[in-house]
Amino acid sequence: MNFGPSSAIDLYARKTEGFEQRVADTLAQLQQAAAEHPGQIVLANSLGAEDMVLTDLIARHQLPIALGTLQTGALNPETTALIPAIEQRYGLKVEVYEPQHEAVVHFVKTHGDKAMYQSLALRKSCCQVRKMEPLSRMLASRSAWVTGLRREQSANRGAVPHSEVEANGRTKFNPLADWTWADIWHYIDTHNVPYNALHDQFMPSIGCAPCTRSIAVGEPFRAGRWWWEDEAAKECGLHVKAADAVAA
């Protein structure tokens, strides 16, 4: 019996008009970013499909951009399996940043391991401990970072620029800003890029295990992230401007 597409590639990959130009533009942006920030730029790899495309571009073109990721201590095994897969496939070291053990123990002891479901404030506190603090260490010695943000991902990200200078003076590059989901998967299919197996389980946006679920047909791209919260709140803080964070 045929139950439909067997993989994310089968479901999403499709070549669309202008694809080659978007790839060329993204490569040019990465090359320029690396040249402007020699030895001080890192790809913050979430281990999702977008960041695997960027990883492949960096490796394929031997760009001097470091690879970093956050091992929050609450990721699915399918997610963490990509770290050795990247190192084996591309021969590149992935910098792994973990939360401070004492901070995690204190948070769980104080609020429980299901604190994220209790309130928005506690969920954001969990993100602060497991994501924001390790990210600050990843970026501490860097003048620039690269992300896989795309405008199509959510209303909150609909105006994502290709680059922006943050309040702290660090430059943030979003070279996939105008790519579509079909573009991402066409690239993955074309170049046989390793990807998170959870994408085959209808999880287009993947975070920590307690905060990620599969989405149903017709649901928004990020509906599986923090699904119990209001749509406007669905960011962990990694990609929220300082003013927005204060307002939240």
Side-chain angles (χ1 to χ4, degrees), residues 129-145:
V129 170
R130 294 184 182 274
K131 290 184 173 183
M132 297 302 294
E133 191 281 327
L135 179 70
S136 70
R137 282 184 273 120
M138 181 194 296
L139 301 181
S141 61
R142 266 85 187 219
S143 60
W145 58 313

Side-chain angles (χ1 to χ4, degrees), residues 96-145:
V96 178
Y97 294 83
E98 300 180 350
Q100 295 177 343
H101 178 71
E102 297 80 5
V104 173
V105 170
H106 176 73
F107 182 85
V108 173
K109 184 177 181 179
T110 303
H111 303 291
D113 58 4
K114 300 185 184 303
M116 67 287 295
Y117 303 127
Q118 297 174 26
S119 72
L120 178 59
L122 281 176
R123 196 273 289 171
K124 288 190 173 184
S125 294
C126 186
C127 289
Q128 175 64 37
V129 170
R130 294 184 182 274
K131 290 184 173 183
M132 297 302 294
E133 191 281 327
L135 179 70
S136 70
R137 282 184 273 120
M138 181 194 296
L139 301 181
S141 61
R142 266 85 187 219
S143 60
W145 58 313

Side-chain angles (χ1 to χ4, degrees), residues 163-201:
S163 67
E164 56 189 314
V165 178
E166 299 178 309
N168 56 18
R170 186 179 293 114
T171 303
K172 180 178 181 180
F173 293 96
N174 310 303
L176 300 179
D178 57 356
W179 283 43
T180 66
W181 194 225
D183 289 336
I184 296 297
W185 286 98
H186 181 63
Y187 185 97
I188 288 173
D189 186 27
T190 301
H191 296 288
N192 193 29
V193 178
Y195 66 87
N196 195 321
L198 294 176
H199 287 308
D200 292 336
Q201 300 178 33

